[in-house]
Amino acid sequence: MRSEADLTNTIEMYSDMLRKICFMHLKNYSDVEDVFQDVFLKYMQSDISFENEEHKKAWLIRVTVNRCKDVLRNFFRKNAVSIDSVSTEPVFLKERDLDVFDAVAKLPTKFKNVVYLFYYEEYTVPEIALILHKKENTIYTWLGRARNKLKENLGGDFFEE
């Protein structure tokens, strides 16, 4: 079990990043908050000793992505219809970034994860491969395909490197 100070520090450091990852997957504020709490509860209860901050960050990302997948697989979520039409626009983005965010959010999960980690969190391809437990060439392929889909969906060449 971790100390309250460690938990508070970790939440302050990674809360924005983890909420963004959750929102990319779930597109629902309530589910995002549930997953957010679950991830930090799991962190608090874990006895894993991390090699460094990058290892901790990668662990938090992996747990977050897995928990989001669990929520998306939930029978109730697949078969329920929301009564309220809640706005799904993330509050943390500027208006000009919403089109790009929406396009990324509509990508298949495997593409969405690599695009987010590469462009938003600035991980390298080898680091992403370790986090997602995939080969580097797979990550390169997914990034290339994601860029092509984004170009097609957004109708521009501003994703060129």
Side-chain angles (χ1 to χ4, degrees):
M1 189 105 160
R2 302 192 187 279
S3 70
E4 188 175 334
D6 178 38
L7 181 63
T8 303
N9 184 41
T10 302
I11 290 172
E12 286 174 4
M13 285 182 68
Y14 300 112
S15 63
D16 288 342
M17 174 192 67
L18 296 180
R19 274 196 176 97
K20 289 174 188 176
I21 291 171
C22 289
F23 203 87
M24 297 258 314
H25 286 272
L26 304 172
K27 301 173 191 81
N28 176 308
Y29 182 76
S30 299
D31 289 340
V32 167
E33 289 302 310
D34 288 345
V35 169
F36 181 79
Q37 289 178 9
D38 290 347
V39 167
F40 282 106
L41 180 63
K42 186 167 185 165
Y43 171 75
M44 186 179 77
Q45 294 173 337
S46 77
D47 57 353
I48 297 171
S49 89
F50 299 104
E51 297 168 12
N52 53 38
E53 280 300 313
E54 280 303 308
H55 183 216
K56 181 196 295 187
K57 183 177 178 182
W59 184 87
L60 288 166
I61 290 170
R62 184 76 250 154
V63 170
T64 301
V65 168
N66 286 340
R67 185 65 188 111
C68 287
K69 286 179 182 179
D70 291 344
V71 169
L72 290 171
R73 280 192 295 258
N74 182 302
F75 176 83
F76 178 77
R77 180 175 173 93
K78 286 181 181 177
N79 296 299
V81 178
S82 174
I83 294 174
D84 302 321
S85 60
V86 179
S87 172
T88 59
E89 293 183 1
V91 220
F92 52 82
L93 291 176
K94 297 178 183 115
E95 192 172 326
R96 65 183 167 83
D97 296 333
L98 284 177
D99 290 340
V100 175
F101 181 85
D102 286 341
V104 171
K106 290 176 184 172
L107 290 172
T109 302
K110 61 186 178 185
F111 297 159
K112 185 184 334 185
N113 288 338
V114 295
V115 167
Y116 180 80
L117 292 173
F118 188 79
Y119 288 105
Y120 291 89
E121 295 303 322
E122 299 178 348
Y123 276 99
T124 64
V125 168
E127 291 170 331
I128 296 170
L130 286 173
I131 291 170
L132 298 180
H133 306 292
K134 300 290 180 189
K135 294 180 180 178
E136 286 181 33
N137 286 338
T138 301
I139 302 302
Y140 282 117
T141 300
W142 289 355
L143 268 175
R145 290 178 182 167
R147 286 183 192 119
N148 289 337
K149 281 192 175 286
L150 288 171
K151 261 192 249 182
E152 182 182 304
N153 294 342
L154 293 169
D157 291 329
F158 54 91
F159 286 99
E160 293 295 319
E161 295 180 282

